[in-house]
Amino acid sequence: MLSGASVPTETVVIPDADDWKDVNGSITFGTGTMDAGGGNGAGRSVDTFEGDFDLQFTVTSEANMSFGAYPISGDGTYGNHEGNGLIASIAGSYLYNGGDDALKYGSSATGTTMVVEDGTVVNLTRVGTAVSIFKNGSLVLEYATGSSAELRLMMGIGGAQNIDDIQWTI
C-alpha cells in the first residue's frame, strides 16, 4: 500500500467480470480491465471492505471517468446508469468525478481537483480510517473525514475509455 503502513496480511486481488455487479451494459470488465464504448454507466464491486484497502488502476484512454467508495448502507442509492454511480448522493462517500475533475466527500466538493490523463496511475486507499487519493504515487488528497464503515468500490464512465491494471490490496 502506498501509505507505507504495515498491514498484517496483504492479499492482492486482480478482479475479473465476476467481481463487479450492477454494471451498465456499455461497460465490460475483464481480468484487471474496464472497457467502455461510450455513454454513461458504472459498476460496483462485489467485495466490500471493512478495513484497509488500496484500489489501484492505470488509465489508458480517459473519457470523464469516475471512481470512488461508499458505505454499503448506500447500496439502494447506487445507480449504474450514471457515470458516477450516483454515489455523490450517498452520505460518507468518496468520489472522483471526471466531469469536473473534482474530489468530493458525499455531495460536497473538497476544493481539490485532479486531472486524470492517459497513463495516469491512480490509488484510492484507506489505512485505519484515513481515506486518500494518489496520482502517480503522489498524495493528492487525504480526506478531512475518514471512515470506519464497510465500503464498496465504484468505477464509472462518461464516454469511451479503457482502464487497465485494476487491482485491490486488502
Side-chain angles (χ1 to χ4, degrees):
M1 298 181 70
L2 283 180
S3 67
S6 176
V7 178
T9 303
E10 288 189 355
T11 301
V12 176
V13 175
I14 299 173
D16 61 24
D18 293 334
D19 294 307
W20 298 95
K21 67 180 188 172
D22 300 322
V23 177
N24 179 282
S26 64
I27 298 174
T28 302
F29 284 99
T31 302
T33 64
M34 180 179 88
D35 299 311
N40 288 321
R44 60 182 171 169
S45 63
V46 172
D47 288 348
T48 59
F49 303 86
E50 295 180 358
D52 296 354
F53 68 84
D54 177 6
L55 167 66
Q56 179 177 301
F57 57 90
T58 302
V59 178
T60 54
S61 177
E62 198 283 326
N64 292 331
M65 67 152 317
S66 294
F67 65 89
Y70 67 91
I72 63 169
S73 60
D75 276 346
T77 301
Y78 167 84
N80 70 356
H81 61 284
E82 292 291 331
N84 65 15
L86 297 177
I87 71 168
S89 303
I90 301 170
S93 65
Y94 303 90
L95 173 65
Y96 167 76
N97 190 46
D100 57 9
D101 296 328
L103 296 172
K104 296 182 177 185
Y105 177 70
S107 61
S108 299
T110 62
T112 301
T113 59
M114 177 176 74
V115 176
V116 175
E117 306 158 318
D118 295 356
T120 300
V121 176
V122 175
N123 294 75
L124 170 64
T125 67
R126 175 170 64 184
V127 177
T129 60
V131 178
S132 303
I133 293 185
F134 295 82
K135 177 183 174 181
N136 296 326
S138 296
L139 179 65
V140 174
L141 175 69
E142 180 177 323
Y143 284 89
T145 304
S147 177
S148 59
E150 186 173 356
L151 299 177
R152 186 181 308 280
L153 303 176
M154 182 282 307
M155 294 186 78
I157 56 108
Q161 72 179 28
N162 298 314
I163 308 294
D164 290 335
D165 306 320
I166 302 170
Q167 66 179 38
W168 51 77
T169 304
I170 50 177

